[in-house]
Amino acid sequence: MFGLLLKHKTTQLGFLHQNAYFVAKSFTSINLSDSTQQLIIKQKHSFTVSYLINSCGLSPKSALLTSQKVHFEKPDKPDSVLNLLRENGFSNTQISQLVRSIPQVLTTKPEKTLLPKIEFFRSKGVSSSDLTRVLCANASLLGNSLEKHIIPCYDFLKSVLLVDEKVLTTLKRSPRYNVTNNMVPNIELLRRLGSPQSVISFYVTNLPRTAFVEHTRFVNAVQEVKEMGFDPLKTVFVLAINVVLSMSKPMLDSKLELYKRWGWYENVALLAFKRQPNCMLISEDKITKAMDFLVNKSGWPSADIARSPSVLFLSLEKRIIPRCSVIQLLQAKGLLKNDLSLSTFILPSERRFLEKFVIKFQDKVPQLWNVYSCKTYHLEVGHQSEKTQVSRHSSSCKFFF
């Protein structure tokens, strides 16, 4: 078919120019190959495609796809848009990113639609570097009305967050807002439940994608979290809302089943979820590896992990294994109690851990630093011994205990 198309390209392309609307509408009903469709599009939008490649830095494939969303036959308007963006600190890479995200920006009147938005953000004290980052992360702002969307959105966020810097952070983290239908009622619901300013500010700044979801979904998530016993006065309340809105019910059920297999039955899993809701967002592979090491290889009770679920977020190789090796050596020497909880040595900062468990005992256990810093160690659990190797540093030291 492609050979036939080339053979009659003059006739066919003439037909396409005269019947472009019919051809475009018929893509879904006529069985044309991808290469044929791309040839048709490229012929129809040849100037646009060329401009997107040469002036906006898009790849040929990206330019072809983008040309289906925007069309122009003269460079005057897009040139004026690019000039305005460059004058306001946008790099070529950022311009390419903007054009891919919102190609219609090339056909706007820059002095009338783009410049007022840029000047609005500058009036809020936004630096050139921050301005370009905000607009690249949230390109839809350039396509929204300044008076009807951007100003009301900004003013409401400022009333919630109080500080311009937090407003900008929020704008960078969420691409779209529905002020009337979602943003206002969602925040008002949290306020009615008694959530303090600090909790609401944390939620809006750090998790705006779920803070401003469709209001009905938000109400249902809040109700579900309340029924679990979460306190609206605490930050974990909004963290739990975020988890419920981020995961489908099958995904959440699957994660709960995984924890059950490691001994977290319903009451234990709920305890862990209430202490650290984000433990449900950890990948199953990461959970399995951490639990296997802590429960099977190191002998820590599963319930102890449920009381400190934040342990599961930490790196197995860089943090959990090295610290466990130090603690078990100290316990083997009778220098620490055997009922030490995970949180007392896994969660503290590096400096605090070294001071409390390495430097303090280094005179009594000279090899302690090697146990912590080297790559080969031998863990002894109960009456069984298992050798585990972890690559942390290039050092080739070996020790056994």
Side-chain angles (χ1 to χ4, degrees):
M1 180 177 180
F2 187 69
L4 185 61
L5 177 65
L6 292 178
K7 184 176 180 181
H8 301 288
K9 65 180 181 179
T10 303
T11 303
Q12 289 191 349
L13 291 176
F15 169 80
L16 292 174
H17 278 298
Q18 297 173 13
N19 300 274
Y21 178 81
F22 171 77
V23 172
K25 286 293 184 181
S26 300
F27 275 169
T28 57
S29 58
I30 299 177
N31 186 23
L32 297 177
S33 69
D34 290 342
S35 58
T36 304
Q37 291 184 29
Q38 290 184 1
L39 180 61
I40 293 171
I41 295 168
K42 190 172 183 178
Q43 178 67 23
K44 182 182 177 183
H45 300 284
S46 58
F47 179 81
T48 304
V49 172
S50 176
Y51 188 91
L52 292 172
I53 294 171
N54 298 323
S55 298
C56 302
L58 273 62
S59 67
K61 181 178 180 180
S62 179
L64 193 60
L65 292 172
T66 303
S67 70
Q68 298 177 56
K69 301 176 183 177
V70 65
H71 177 65
F72 46 86
E73 297 181 356
K74 296 180 180 180
D76 302 25
K77 189 172 287 187
D79 277 351
S80 63
V81 169
L82 297 187
N83 289 336
L84 179 69
L85 293 175
R86 291 191 176 102
E87 289 169 1
N88 283 277
F90 286 83
S91 66
N92 290 335
T93 300
Q94 290 173 326
I95 288 174
S96 297
Q97 182 180 342
L98 273 178
V99 171
R100 284 193 299 270
S101 300
I102 180 169
Q104 296 83 0
V105 72
L106 293 173
T107 58
T108 61
K109 297 178 180 180
E111 300 294 331
K112 182 178 180 180
T113 60
L114 300 183
L115 186 59
K117 296 168 186 176
I118 291 173
E119 290 176 338
F120 169 77
F121 284 107
R122 290 198 185 283
S123 72
K124 301 300 179 180
V126 182
S127 66
S128 294
S129 58
D130 281 340
L131 174 65
T132 56
R133 282 196 291 267
V134 168
L135 293 180
C136 284
N138 197 338
S140 62
L141 286 171
L142 291 175
N144 291 327
S145 166
L146 178 62
E147 292 77 16
K148 295 180 180 179
H149 183 89
I150 296 176
I151 293 177
C153 174
Y154 194 99
D155 289 346
F156 179 75
L157 286 173
K158 181 69 177 290
S159 72
V160 174
L161 303 174
L162 307 179
V163 182
D164 287 308
E165 186 178 354
K166 289 186 177 181
V167 175
L168 295 176
T169 299
T170 303
L171 290 175
K172 284 189 286 187
R173 289 176 174 170
S174 187
R176 290 181 177 84
Y177 300 100
N178 188 319
V179 180
T180 304
N181 296 329
N182 297 338
M183 186 187 297
V184 174
N186 289 355
I187 298 305
E188 288 304 316
L189 175 57
L190 292 177
R191 285 173 171 163
R192 288 198 304 272
L193 292 171
S195 295
Q197 171 67 28
S198 59
V199 170
I200 294 175
S201 178
F202 170 86
Y203 189 30
V204 173
T205 305
N206 293 283
L207 304 165
R209 290 179 181 271
T210 58
F212 303 135
V213 298
E214 191 268 327
H215 185 58
T216 301
R217 286 188 62 207
F218 190 80
V219 171
N220 292 337
V222 168
Q223 184 61 33
E224 186 175 344
V225 167
K226 282 179 62 183
E227 290 174 355
M228 293 180 191
F230 283 89
D231 185 353
L233 299 178
K234 298 180 179 179
T235 302
V236 290
F237 183 77
V238 293
L239 289 177
I241 293 173
N242 178 66
V243 170
V244 170
L245 288 170
S246 300
M247 301 179 70
S248 65
K249 191 175 185 306
M251 288 175 61
L252 187 57
D253 290 343
S254 174
K255 200 64 64 69
L256 287 171
E257 285 300 318
L258 175 62
Y259 280 125
K260 283 181 182 180
R261 292 198 293 271
W262 289 102
W264 289 17
Y265 297 104
E266 188 171 349
N267 60 330
V268 178
L270 182 59
L271 169 67
F273 185 52
K274 290 178 72 172
R275 292 196 173 187
Q276 177 47 271
N278 287 342
C279 69
M280 295 299 168
L281 298 177
I282 306 173
S283 72
E284 294 193 3
D285 181 63
K286 185 175 178 63
I287 293 170
T288 299
K289 288 180 179 178
M291 286 294 209
D292 180 57
F293 175 80
L294 291 169
V295 177
N296 291 341
K297 295 184 173 67
S298 300
W300 296 100
S302 177
D304 194 17
I305 303 169
R307 284 189 288 270
S308 304
S310 295
V311 167
L312 297 173
F313 290 95
L314 304 173
S315 169
L316 181 63
E317 293 81 7
K318 295 179 180 180
R319 187 152 178 168
I320 296 176
I321 291 176
R323 293 194 181 191
C324 282
S325 66
V326 167
I327 296 304
Q328 292 197 348
L329 174 55
L330 293 175
Q331 288 174 336
K333 298 288 186 180
L335 298 173
L336 289 178
K337 295 180 179 179
N338 290 328
D339 59 353
L340 200 65
S341 68
L342 279 169
S343 61
T344 59
F345 64 89
I346 295 291
L347 298 183
S349 67
E350 181 83 353
R351 179 178 178 179
R352 179 61 178 155
F353 177 81
L354 290 175
E355 289 175 349
K356 189 174 181 179
F357 298 106
V358 178
I359 297 173
K360 180 179 178 180
F361 296 104
Q362 196 164 12
D363 290 341
K364 295 181 180 179
V365 188
Q367 73 269 39
L368 201 56
W369 180 256
N370 286 338
V371 171
Y372 183 65
S373 62
C374 294
K375 65 179 182 179
T376 307
Y377 61 91
H378 192 186
L379 288 178
E380 190 169 306
V381 183
H383 296 292
Q384 295 182 347
S385 178
E386 179 172 349
K387 184 175 180 180
T388 308
Q389 292 191 350
V390 179
S391 296
R392 297 184 66 240
H393 302 287
S394 59
S395 139
S396 60
C397 56
K398 295 184 180 181
F399 49 85
F400 302 92
F401 62 93

